[in-house]
Coordinates of all heavy atoms in Angstrom, one line a residue:
M1 N -9.3 18.4 37.1 CA -8.5 18.7 38.3 C -9.2 20.0 39.0 O -9.6 20.9 38.3 CB -7.1 19.2 37.9 CG -6.2 19.4 39.1 SD -4.5 19.9 38.6 CE -4.0 18.4 37.7
K2 N -9.5 19.8 40.3 CA -10.2 20.9 41.0 C -9.3 21.7 41.8 O -8.4 21.3 42.5 CB -11.3 20.2 42.0 CG -12.3 21.2 42.6 CD -13.3 20.4 43.4 CE -14.3 21.3 43.9 NZ -15.4 20.6 44.7
R3 N -9.6 23.1 41.7 CA -8.7 24.1 42.4 C -9.3 24.6 43.6 O -10.6 24.8 43.6 CB -8.2 25.1 41.4 CG -7.3 24.6 40.3 CD -7.1 25.7 39.2 NE -6.0 25.3 38.3 CZ -6.2 24.4 37.3 NH1 -7.5 23.7 37.1 NH2 -5.3 24.0 36.5
F4 N -8.4 24.9 44.6 CA -9.0 25.4 45.9 C -8.0 26.6 46.3 O -6.9 26.6 45.9 CB -8.9 24.4 47.0 CG -9.7 23.2 46.7 CD1 -9.2 22.1 46.0 CD2 -11.0 23.1 47.3 CE1 -10.0 21.0 45.7 CE2 -11.8 21.9 47.1 CZ -11.3 20.9 46.3
N5 N -8.7 27.6 47.0 CA -7.9 28.5 47.7 C -7.3 28.1 48.9 O -7.8 27.2 49.6 CB -8.8 29.8 48.0 CG -9.3 30.5 46.8 OD1 -8.7 30.4 45.7 ND2 -10.4 31.3 46.9
A6 N -6.0 28.7 49.3 CA -5.4 28.3 50.5 C -4.6 29.5 51.0 O -4.4 30.5 50.4 CB -4.4 27.2 50.1
I7 N -4.3 29.4 52.4 CA -3.5 30.4 53.0 C -2.1 29.9 53.2 O -2.0 28.7 53.5 CB -4.1 30.9 54.3 CG1 -4.5 29.7 55.2 CG2 -5.4 31.7 54.0 CD1 -4.9 30.2 56.6
Y26 N 0.7 25.4 53.2 CA -0.6 25.8 52.7 C -1.7 25.1 53.5 O -1.6 23.9 53.7 CB -0.8 25.6 51.3 CG 0.1 26.5 50.3 CD1 0.3 26.2 49.0 CD2 0.9 27.6 50.9 CE1 1.2 27.0 48.2 CE2 1.8 28.3 50.0 CZ 1.8 28.0 48.7 OH 2.7 28.8 47.9
L27 N -2.7 25.9 53.8 CA -3.9 25.4 54.4 C -5.2 25.7 53.6 O -5.2 26.9 53.3 CB -4.0 25.8 55.9 CG -4.8 24.9 56.9 CD1 -4.2 23.5 57.0 CD2 -4.8 25.5 58.2
R28 N -6.0 24.8 53.3 CA -7.1 25.2 52.5 C -8.0 26.2 53.2 O -8.3 26.1 54.4 CB -8.0 23.9 52.2 CG -9.3 24.2 51.4 CD -10.3 23.1 51.4 NE -11.6 23.5 51.0 CZ -12.6 22.9 51.1 NH1 -12.7 21.7 51.5 NH2 -13.9 23.4 50.8
S29 N -8.3 27.2 52.4 CA -9.2 28.3 53.1 C -9.8 29.1 51.9 O -9.0 29.6 51.0 CB -8.4 29.2 53.9 OG -9.1 30.4 54.3
E30 N -11.0 29.4 52.0 CA -11.6 30.2 51.0 C -11.2 31.6 51.0 O -11.3 32.4 49.9 CB -13.2 30.2 51.2 CG -13.8 28.9 50.9 CD -13.5 28.2 49.5 OE1 -13.6 29.0 48.5 OE2 -13.3 27.0 49.5
L31 N -10.6 32.0 52.0 CA -10.1 33.4 52.1 C -8.6 33.6 51.7 O -8.1 34.7 51.6 CB -10.1 33.9 53.6 CG -11.5 33.8 54.3 CD1 -11.5 34.3 55.7 CD2 -12.5 34.7 53.5
G32 N -8.0 32.4 51.2 CA -6.6 32.5 50.8 C -6.3 33.0 49.5 O -7.2 32.9 48.6
D33 N -5.1 33.4 49.3 CA -4.6 33.9 48.0 C -3.7 33.0 47.3 O -3.2 33.2 46.2 CB -4.0 35.3 48.1 CG -2.8 35.3 49.0 OD1 -2.5 34.2 49.6 OD2 -2.1 36.3 49.1
K34 N -3.5 31.7 47.9 CA -2.7 30.7 47.2 C -3.6 29.7 46.6 O -4.8 29.7 46.9 CB -1.8 29.9 48.3 CG -0.9 30.9 49.1 CD 0.0 31.5 48.2 CE 1.1 32.5 49.0 NZ 1.9 33.3 48.2
E35 N -3.1 28.9 45.6 CA -3.9 27.9 44.9 C -3.3 26.5 45.0 O -2.1 26.4 44.9 CB -4.0 28.3 43.5 CG -5.1 27.4 42.7 CD -5.3 27.8 41.2 OE1 -6.1 28.7 41.0 OE2 -4.5 27.2 40.4
I36 N -4.2 25.5 45.5 CA -3.8 24.1 45.5 C -4.9 23.4 44.6 O -5.9 23.8 44.5 CB -3.7 23.6 47.0 CG1 -5.1 23.8 47.7 CG2 -2.6 24.3 47.7 CD1 -5.0 23.3 49.1
S37 N -4.4 22.2 44.1 CA -5.3 21.4 43.2 C -5.4 20.0 43.7 O -4.4 19.4 44.2 CB -4.7 21.5 41.8 OG -4.6 22.9 41.4
C38 N -6.6 19.4 43.4 CA -6.8 18.0 43.7 C -7.2 17.2 42.5 O -8.1 17.8 41.7 CB -8.0 17.9 44.8 SG -8.2 16.4 45.5
I39 N -6.7 16.1 42.3 CA -7.0 15.3 41.0 C -8.3 14.8 41.0 O -9.1 14.8 40.1 CB -6.0 14.2 40.9 CG1 -4.5 14.8 40.7 CG2 -6.3 13.3 39.7 CD1 -4.4 15.5 39.5
S40 N -8.8 14.1 42.2 CA -10.0 13.4 42.3 C -10.4 13.4 43.8 O -9.7 13.7 44.6 CB -10.0 12.1 41.6 OG -9.4 11.1 42.5
S41 N -11.6 12.8 44.0 CA -12.2 12.6 45.3 C -11.3 11.5 46.0 O -11.5 11.4 47.3 CB -13.6 12.1 45.2 OG -13.8 11.0 44.4
H43 N -8.3 11.6 46.6 CA -7.2 12.2 47.3 C -7.5 12.9 48.6 O -6.6 13.2 49.4 CB -6.5 13.3 46.3 CG -5.9 12.7 45.1 ND1 -4.5 12.6 44.9 CD2 -6.3 11.9 44.1 CE1 -4.2 11.9 43.9 NE2 -5.4 11.5 43.3
G44 N -8.8 13.1 48.9 CA -9.2 13.5 50.3 C -8.5 14.8 50.9 O -9.1 15.8 51.0
S46 N -5.0 15.4 50.2 CA -3.7 15.6 49.5 C -3.9 16.5 48.2 O -4.9 16.3 47.5 CB -3.1 14.2 49.0 OG -2.8 13.4 50.2
Y47 N -2.9 17.3 48.0 CA -3.0 18.3 46.9 C -1.8 18.5 46.2 O -0.6 18.3 46.7 CB -3.5 19.7 47.5 CG -4.8 19.8 48.2 CD1 -4.8 19.4 49.6 CD2 -5.9 20.1 47.6 CE1 -6.1 19.4 50.3 CE2 -7.1 20.1 48.3 CZ -7.1 19.7 49.6 OH -8.3 19.8 50.3
I48 N -1.9 19.0 44.9 CA -0.8 19.5 44.1 C -0.4 20.9 44.6 O -1.4 21.7 44.5 CB -0.9 19.4 42.7 CG1 -1.2 17.9 42.2 CG2 0.1 20.0 41.9 CD1 -1.8 17.9 40.8
V49 N 0.7 21.2 45.0 CA 1.1 22.5 45.5 C 2.1 23.2 44.6 O 2.3 24.4 44.8 CB 1.5 22.5 47.0 CG1 0.3 22.1 47.9 CG2 2.7 21.6 47.3
N62 N -3.8 19.2 54.3 CA -4.0 20.5 54.1 C -5.6 20.8 54.2 O -6.0 22.0 54.1 CB -3.6 21.0 52.6 CG -2.2 20.6 52.3 OD1 -1.9 19.4 52.2 ND2 -1.3 21.6 52.2
G63 N -6.4 19.9 54.6 CA -7.8 20.1 54.6 C -8.6 19.2 53.7 O -7.9 18.7 52.7
L64 N -9.8 19.0 53.9 CA -10.7 18.2 53.0 C -10.8 18.8 51.5 O -11.0 20.0 51.5 CB -12.0 17.9 53.5 CG -12.2 16.9 54.8 CD1 -13.5 16.9 55.3 CD2 -11.7 15.5 54.2
S65 N -10.9 17.9 50.5 CA -11.2 18.4 49.2 C -12.6 18.2 48.9 O -13.0 18.4 47.7 CB -10.4 17.6 48.2 OG -10.6 16.2 48.3
Y66 N -13.5 18.0 49.9 CA -14.8 17.8 49.7 C -15.6 18.3 50.9 O -14.9 18.6 51.9 CB -15.3 16.4 49.4 CG -15.0 15.4 50.5 CD1 -15.7 15.1 51.6 CD2 -13.7 14.7 50.3 CE1 -15.3 14.2 52.5 CE2 -13.2 13.8 51.4 CZ -14.1 13.5 52.4 OH -13.7 12.6 53.3
T67 N -16.8 18.6 50.8 CA -17.7 19.3 51.8 C -17.2 20.8 51.8 O -16.1 21.2 51.5 CB -17.6 18.8 53.3 OG1 -16.5 19.3 54.0 CG2 -17.6 17.3 53.3
Q68 N -18.0 21.7 52.4 CA -17.7 23.1 52.6 C -16.8 23.4 53.8 O -16.3 24.4 54.0 CB -18.9 23.9 52.7 CG -19.8 23.6 54.0 CD -21.0 24.4 54.1 OE1 -21.1 25.6 53.8 NE2 -22.1 23.8 54.4
Y69 N -16.5 22.2 54.6 CA -15.6 22.4 55.7 C -14.3 21.9 55.4 O -14.2 20.7 54.9 CB -16.3 21.7 56.9 CG -17.7 22.1 57.2 CD1 -18.7 21.3 56.7 CD2 -18.0 23.4 57.7 CE1 -20.1 21.8 56.9 CE2 -19.3 23.8 57.9 CZ -20.3 23.0 57.5 OH -21.6 23.4 57.7
A70 N -13.3 22.5 55.8 CA -11.8 22.0 55.7 C -11.5 20.8 56.6 O -10.7 20.0 56.2 CB -10.9 23.2 55.9

Side-chain angles (χ1 to χ4, degrees):
M1 190 179 297
K2 191 173 181 179
R3 291 172 172 77
F4 298 85
N5 291 337
I7 56 172
Y26 296 165
L27 205 61
R28 182 191 156 191
S29 171
E30 294 303 318
L31 303 177
D33 60 354
K34 304 297 182 182
E35 185 177 275
I36 57 180
S37 302
C38 189
I39 297 296
S40 79
S41 56
H43 293 243
S46 294
Y47 299 85
I48 298 170
V49 293
N62 313 68
L64 283 174
S65 62
Y66 56 90
T67 84
Q68 62 181 317
Y69 308 104

